[in-house]
């Protein structure tokens, strides 16, 4: 199950993780992104995205990739995930990643590419936050036994996707809890041409 979130969304101002003005990897996410990833109307609201416009937001020009998502493994701020990250993340010892296990300014998860499929549609996005609901769910995120998410909120969602991915995948609702997807990590050299490559996020932890 996947839900939708967007930069600038505030869905629970009383919750520590109830605002997308910041992400777990970027304390100024909305500023880094370039503003509200939607329309400013009674706050920051989501909107339908069109293929003809590359699923881009209609009222602003993003500075970072609008094809973003989260997964429930926060390898920076969750103490369990941080302690385990070098041993459970498959690419932790690859060139460019090895040796950063204790570096809190370096995330193994941020900017990683994910292939997402819904029906006959397949789209790609980069990880830019953690959630929903859980932050060290290694069995779901990295396990080989098709484990279900530990999260029980939001209809048991295992990821949130951006409005661009919502439109690209053809979700039934702009902001719902009824769309099911398949997903897998992919290295950058296996990401095909598409609107998800128009802007690629490269910034590290801020």
């Amino acid at each position: 199950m996947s839900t939708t979130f967007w930069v600038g969304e505030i869905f629970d101002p009383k919750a520590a993780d109830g605002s997308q003005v910041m992400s777990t990897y970027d304390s100024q996410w909305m500023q880094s992104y370039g503003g509200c990833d939607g329309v400013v109307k009674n706050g920051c609201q989501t909107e339908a995205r069109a293929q003809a416009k590359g699923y881009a937001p209609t009222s602003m020009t993003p500075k970072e990739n609008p094809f973003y998502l989260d997964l429930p493994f926060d390898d920076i701020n969750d103490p369990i995930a941080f302690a385990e990250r070098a041993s459970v993340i498959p690419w932790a010892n690859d060139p460019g990643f090895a040796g950063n296990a204790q570096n809190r300014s370096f995330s193994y998860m941020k900017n990683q590419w994910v292939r997402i499929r819904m029906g006959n549609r397949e789209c790609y996005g980069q990880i830019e936050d953690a959630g929903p609901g859980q932050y060290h769910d290694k069995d779901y995120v990295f396990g080989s036994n098709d484990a279900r998410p530990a999260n029980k909120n939001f209809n048991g969602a295992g990821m949130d996707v951006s409005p661009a991915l919502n439109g690209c995948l053809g979700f039934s609702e702009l902001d719902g809890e009824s769309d099911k997807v398949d997903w897998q990590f992919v290295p950058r050299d296996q990401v095909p041409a598409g609107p998800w490559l128009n802007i690629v996020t490269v910034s590290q932890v801020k």
Side-chain angles (χ1 to χ4, degrees), residues 139-140 143-148:
D139 291 337
Y140 168 66
S144 59
N145 296 319
D146 197 27
R148 299 296 83 196

Side-chain angles (χ1 to χ4, degrees), residues 159-174:
M159 71 165 55
D160 298 305
V161 301
S162 69
L165 281 167
N166 177 306
C168 182
L169 291 163
F171 275 20
S172 59
E173 298 176 90
L174 290 179

Side-chain angles (χ1 to χ4, degrees), residues 105-146:
S105 296
F106 183 90
S107 169
Y108 293 97
M109 297 295 290
K110 187 178 190 301
N111 304 332
Q112 289 304 299
W113 286 94
V114 175
R115 173 191 293 129
I116 309 172
R117 183 180 64 200
M118 183 172 136
N120 62 358
R121 296 194 183 195
E122 186 172 274
C123 307
Y124 293 74
Q126 290 182 275
I127 297 170
E128 300 301 339
D129 200 2
Q134 298 287 322
Y135 300 96
H136 53 257
D137 191 358
K138 65 180 179 182
D139 291 337
Y140 168 66
V141 177
F142 306 112
S144 59
N145 296 319
D146 197 27

